[in-house]
Amino acid sequence: MTEASGPAADTYGAVEPRVPLADARVVLAGLGVTGRSLQRVLAPRVASLVTVDDQADDADHSGLDTTAAAGVLARADLLVASPGFAPHHPVVAAALAAGVPVWSEVELAWRLRVDRLGSAEPARWLGITGSNGKTTTVEMLAAILRAAGLRTAAVGNVGRSLVEAALDPTLDVLAVELSSFQLHFTHTMSLEAGAVLNVSPDHLDWHGSVDAYTRDKGRIYERVRVACVYNVADRTTEELVREADVVEGARAVGFAAGAPRPGDLGLVDDVLVDRVFHAADDDPDRRRSAAELGTLADLEQLGDLAGVVPTHIVADALAAAALARAHGVPAAAVRDGLRSFGPSEHRIQRVADAGGVTYVNDSKATNSHAAAASLAGFAHGTVVWIAGGLAKGATFDDLVASRADRLRAAVVIGADPGPLADTLARHAPQIPVVVVDPGDTGTVMRRAVAAARDLAQPGDTVLLAPAGASQDQFASYARRGEEFARVVRELTTTH
């Protein structure tokens, strides 16, 4: 790690508007959930606000091509872009070409965080990113912070809007989930502590390459003040720490679901231990002493269907603990927070048991890495796997080749089911595959569940772990999971 040299213009575009924000002509790209929050916050704080969105009827502009976008941006001092607007989008590309700074919601929230009436000091931020496990870890972190008596909220890519939470004077500290999209145009954020949980290829259609995606994940470490938390089992995360410009005194902190080295958090037998933020008087180098943070029993509510706490859940808990400890949270609060934490919605949720078959909703497994972890949890029995959706530029070869032994059959959904179906034919030709015709998206889940039910045998699990995003056929991964659960309950009670 190197010391931070302060924000500057870089390959992500200009940073500072030509005028103060209060005098700026701002273009807001996107009027989804995030965009509406940005609109509410920006409107009273800038000289003028122009909105761009292809779906919202009340947007000032829609369907802009490159020429029209350039015309809109020619009169702007700042573009604030929602996560759906990739660097190659005509509006963003026009801003970059014209030298107009592009800010994410995160950048705006960081700039505005001092504008909190009645608050002597802005809330500190503890940030989490990674290809998988972000939501679970940020919600674990919030539970630990609450157990320590702190006023907090899980925000960012989960929960309430980050920009509105940043202005809330009642909060002491924010547990912030950050996507690679959000980090791309974040220039000056300086977290108290940040973590990259893991990195595997994802969102390549947005970023353009694995290297670009990885670099954007690593931006979470820039200007960190206390701790850069990384996954010992994922060398890429450690390399990102080494490359980061941090504030003098910030330390690298590893976590591993195994025995920890001095300076790491880890697992000894069934005990979660801290060898970073704890030192006995006779062991200042932390070579012999460690603080007990909890045990696997404190995570038993997050165990798989066999009652075993998966390795990735242990790793998430240790990452959350590291961030909390960097903030000064006592060890007992880590234990109490983990005990109080329940499983996330649409993450390994048992929906029903019928005819000897268990139905499990893991709609949040939106990429291959997450789906592989999901399938790995079913070592005792076979799975009828419902999968498919937007691949986001990723491939499925490693996933199918490594998990084919868990499968009795597969049901493939998605607007373009061909890539996954072809991968199954190459790497698991012995299993039956049903491809659900994408023609009628309104009944796709009903047809998928019915096919999976007919393929399953007593002792099997029907698992929705799509390995793809949902937006080709569903409004969100949550809506996809809700539809799965609704159809399962309907079909298993009437069949």
Side-chain angles (χ1 to χ4, degrees):
M1 297 189 297
T2 57
E3 295 179 19
S5 56
D10 56 20
T11 57
Y12 295 84
V15 173
E16 300 299 334
R18 293 166 289 192
V19 296
L21 188 61
D23 300 324
R25 297 165 297 181
V26 178
V27 175
L28 172 60
L31 287 176
V33 174
T34 297
R36 294 295 181 184
S37 295
L38 291 168
Q39 186 180 32
R40 289 192 293 271
V41 168
L42 278 169
R45 288 177 166 83
V46 300
S48 67
L49 183 64
V50 173
T51 58
V52 177
D53 190 286
D54 292 340
Q55 305 298 324
D57 293 337
D58 59 338
D60 295 313
H61 298 279
S62 64
L64 297 179
D65 59 17
T66 301
T67 301
V72 171
L73 269 300
R75 299 182 294 276
D77 301 303
L78 175 68
L79 172 66
V80 179
S82 296
F85 283 72
H88 55 267
H89 189 283
V91 172
V92 180
L96 295 173
V100 175
V102 183
W103 289 2
S104 65
E105 177 201 14
V106 179
E107 180 67 18
L108 179 67
W110 182 255
R111 302 284 188 126
L112 294 179
R113 74 194 192 289
V114 296
D115 185 17
R116 305 196 322 164
L117 297 177
S119 178
E121 181 182 358
R124 297 181 186 183
W125 289 18
L126 303 171
I128 296 165
T129 194
S131 300
N132 298 289
K134 295 186 295 296
T135 301
T136 295
T137 308
V138 79
E139 290 176 343
M140 279 183 175
L141 174 59
I144 293 169
L145 296 170
R146 283 192 292 269
L150 296 166
R151 300 172 300 176
T152 189
V155 299
N157 203 34
V158 63
R160 65 188 293 193
S161 159
L162 173 57
V163 72
E164 292 180 334
L167 294 169
D168 186 343
T170 69
L171 297 176
D172 301 314
V173 57
L174 302 183
V176 188
E177 178 181 337
L178 295 166
S179 71
S180 56
F181 304 155
Q182 293 168 310
L183 287 164
H184 185 87
F185 288 117
T186 296
H187 310 286
T188 64
M189 179 182 71
S190 180
L191 297 175
E192 182 175 35
V196 181
L197 303 178
N198 44 63
V199 179
S200 60
D202 201 4
H203 303 298
L204 303 188
D205 53 343
W206 199 98
H207 294 276
S209 70
V210 173
D211 286 345
Y213 170 69
T214 302
R215 284 197 304 272
D216 282 335
K217 287 294 187 189
R219 289 169 73 83
I220 197 171
Y221 292 135
E222 298 299 315
R223 295 165 293 277
V224 158
R225 301 192 303 279
V226 176
C228 295
V229 178
Y230 69 93
N231 184 347
V232 172
D234 188 331
R235 293 189 61 182
T236 299
T237 66
E238 184 174 7
E239 290 167 3
L240 291 174
V241 174
R242 294 183 187 280
E243 295 167 0
D245 289 330
V246 301
V247 173
E248 183 178 4
R251 64 173 65 177
V253 176
F255 66 90
R261 306 165 301 187
D264 290 349
L265 283 77
L267 185 69
V268 177
D269 296 326
D270 67 341
V271 179
L272 282 68
V273 297
D274 170 8
R275 299 187 68 185
V276 185
F277 302 101
H278 169 79
D281 292 339
D282 61 349
D283 184 26
D285 295 328
R286 303 173 181 85
R287 295 196 175 276
R288 297 183 304 277
S289 63
E292 179 177 332
L293 303 175
T295 68
L296 293 182
D298 299 317
L299 296 168
E300 62 183 3
Q301 73 278 15
L302 303 174
D304 61 22
L305 299 184
V308 177
V309 180
T311 299
H312 68 273
I313 292 294
V314 177
D316 292 346
L318 289 166
L323 293 168
R325 296 286 278 166
H327 186 66
V329 165
V334 175
R335 178 201 62 209
D336 294 343
L338 294 178
R339 285 179 179 174
S340 70
F341 177 73
S344 302
E345 280 195 299
H346 311 293
R347 193 78 179 97
I348 314 292
Q349 285 186 311
R350 187 194 297 257
V351 174
D353 292 277
V357 175
T358 300
Y359 293 80
V360 174
N361 169 22
D362 196 5
S363 183
K364 204 170 189 307
T366 58
N367 59 42
S368 290
H369 190 275
S374 185
L375 286 164
F378 298 91
H380 308 289
T382 50
V383 172
V384 177
W385 181 33
I386 301 177
L390 286 174
K392 301 169 290 183
T395 60
F396 305 104
D397 292 86
D398 290 344
L399 165 62
V400 174
S402 65
R403 296 291 182 262
D405 61 330
R406 307 294 169 89
L407 304 178
R408 179 180 301 283
V411 178
V412 181
I413 61 175
D416 182 13
L420 180 55
D422 292 345
T423 304
L424 284 161
R426 285 196 304 274
H427 296 290
Q430 74 280 8
I431 71 165
V433 175
V434 173
V435 176
V436 177
D437 186 341
D440 182 4
T441 58
T443 65
V444 62
M445 192 58 75
R446 169 177 286 277
R447 288 178 285 139
V449 172
R453 178 196 60 193
D454 294 342
L455 289 164
Q457 297 181 15
D460 285 349
T461 298
V462 171
L463 172 66
L464 172 67
S470 60
Q471 287 85 356
D472 58 340
Q473 294 182 312
F474 302 91
S476 64
Y477 76 80
R479 186 72 189 93
R480 180 172 59 190
E482 290 163 0
E483 183 68 6
F484 172 78
R486 184 189 68 78
V487 171
V488 164
R489 294 186 181 108
E490 181 178 318
L491 292 183
T492 56
T493 56
T494 59
H495 183 62

